[in-house]
Amino acid sequence: MKAPLMISCKKAAVLTEKKLLRSVTRLEALQLSLHRMLCKACRLYGVQSHEIDALLDEYYRDKAPTAPNQADSEALKQQIKEKIKNL
Amino acid sequence: MPEKRKILTQWVEAYTDELYAWAIRKTSNTALSEDLVQDTFLSAAENWEAYKGASKPKTWLFGILRYKIADYYRDKARKAVDLVPPDEAPAFFDRKGQWLEQEKPQACGSDCIPGLVEEPSWPNLLHHCLQALPPLMAQCLELTYLQGKKGKEVYEALNITAANYWQSMSRARLKLRHCLEKARLAPQTDHL
């Protein structure tokens, strides 16, 4: 199957996303860089995506819950056991 | 049947830690994980007859939990779709996939995103813009950033196709950019 090398700006925006998450295929990487060579708006969008990415990295840092602590887990066990008793 | 309760109680003691930790890894949400683990055991009690001892209890319980997680996200995604009629979603591109003039990325000075971090209020602004995203997009974005940006794991957890995921991510970022830029141009409260 021959995929077109020329893509739309809309498609370039999706590929920009894949590139940020390191999920572009070789063909997609080629399509994106070709498109960006010719399209200033999408070059800028690439830069802006990185800027938003950096903001989100900063925003979500330390927000991810880590492994549950033992006390929570024990409390949960007690709660579930109560429910089972009352079934 | 007291036997059933006794065994289930032993399972709660033996497997809750692992089920709970796994649910948190998959959802990045502690309260939700507690509910899902509890539901898992209640389902196990309800479907007791279906468990024939052919698999290990742990395998069976993880199977139920996996199903519960997928179910939760499926439900959420369906609601998300209902909430955004396609014609109401603001467009960024025309029919040919070219940028619409008003959405076209512009070179900018201090009034665009890099300048934003200088303001102490930027997390509030970003929070506001994230809240304004449709639920499925918000979910994609949040899980992606909470889980170390592994796209594949996120769309598998959300039970959506890869294509749907990348499109949602792309739209989410376009919407965020739109919202942040608008907020930058109008630093008063009219964007809120």
Side-chain angles (χ1 to χ4, degrees):
Chain A
M1 193 185 80
K2 228 165 88 184
L5 279 180
M6 299 316 253
I7 54 171
S8 67
C9 297
K10 190 176 178 183
K11 170 91 179 173
V14 174
L15 294 188
T16 297
E17 213 53 50
K18 286 185 145 183
K19 193 166 180 220
L20 265 182
L21 270 70
R22 301 174 194 285
S23 299
V24 269
T25 64
R26 270 189 210 178
L27 173 66
E28 287 169 338
L30 180 63
Q31 287 172 323
L32 185 59
S33 38
L34 263 177
H35 182 92
R36 282 185 181 168
M37 273 165 70
L38 303 169
C39 177
K40 187 176 172 210
C42 287
R43 277 203 298 281
L44 282 170
Y45 184 67
V47 174
Q48 292 172 352
S49 291
H50 270 288
E51 291 162 1
I52 295 173
D53 181 55
L55 276 187
L56 289 167
D57 277 340
E58 182 72 23
Y59 181 82
Y60 281 112
R61 183 171 305 155
D62 306 327
K63 276 204 165 62
T66 41
N69 65 51
Q70 201 51 38
D72 283 350
S73 204
E74 290 307 321
L76 179 61
K77 282 178 202 168
Q78 285 316 312
Q79 184 189 319
I80 299 174
K81 283 182 193 166
E82 274 311 301
K83 292 252 173 175
I84 290 173
K85 216 186 284 173
N86 298 324
L87 278 179
Chain B
M1 164 169 55
E3 182 69 0
K4 165 172 141 183
R5 280 187 207 153
K6 203 177 133 199
I7 295 174
L8 272 170
T9 306
Q10 286 168 359
W11 287 0
V12 171
E13 198 51 58
Y15 305 119
T16 298
D17 290 343
E18 280 175 82
L19 290 164
Y20 187 33
W22 192 71
I24 289 180
R25 271 210 305 284
K26 287 287 168 195
T27 65
S28 293
N29 182 331
T30 315
L32 170 66
S33 297
E34 287 174 11
D35 287 347
L36 291 171
V37 171
Q38 177 168 308
D39 279 357
T40 297
F41 283 108
L42 296 180
S43 274
E46 223 170 88
N47 298 296
W48 189 248
E49 311 306 327
Y51 178 67
K52 299 278 197 290
S55 56
K56 290 185 185 143
K58 188 170 146 184
T59 312
W60 189 50
L61 292 169
F62 267 95
I64 300 174
L65 179 57
R66 185 177 300 122
Y67 180 80
K68 295 271 171 205
I69 293 174
D71 214 34
Y72 168 80
Y73 283 127
R74 195 175 310 127
D75 208 41
K76 218 170 153 136
R78 194 169 45 231
K79 280 186 195 136
V81 171
D82 291 348
L83 283 173
V84 204
D87 45 345
E88 268 187 42
F92 298 95
F93 302 97
D94 65 17
R95 279 169 179 280
K96 286 189 196 151
Q98 308 292 327
W99 289 100
L100 290 176
E101 206 45 51
Q102 69 271 21
E103 294 292 345
K104 209 168 183 173
Q106 307 285 341
C108 55
S110 60
D111 60 332
C112 55
I113 297 155
L116 190 62
V117 257
E118 306 298 323
E119 286 178 28
S121 67
W122 76 264
N124 296 337
L125 203 61
L126 183 56
H127 180 77
H128 154 74
C129 290
L130 286 168
Q131 292 290 307
L133 290 176
L136 178 62
M137 284 180 209
Q139 194 82 51
C140 283
L141 203 76
E142 187 174 291
L143 276 183
T144 300
Y145 279 87
L146 285 175
Q147 306 210 341
K149 300 202 250 187
K150 298 189 192 75
K152 188 159 184 278
E153 283 182 19
V154 176
Y155 62 72
E156 281 173 2
L158 289 172
N159 219 2
I160 57 178
T161 63
N164 196 341
Y165 169 76
W166 293 115
Q167 254 164 38
S168 296
M169 285 295 286
S170 176
R171 283 198 80 82
R173 199 175 305 271
L174 285 160
K175 278 172 174 285
L176 271 188
R177 187 186 66 124
H178 181 94
C179 177
L180 290 170
E181 281 181 356
K182 244 172 61 182
R184 287 289 295 167
L185 292 173
Q188 291 81 25
T189 47
D190 51 338
H191 62 276
L192 294 175

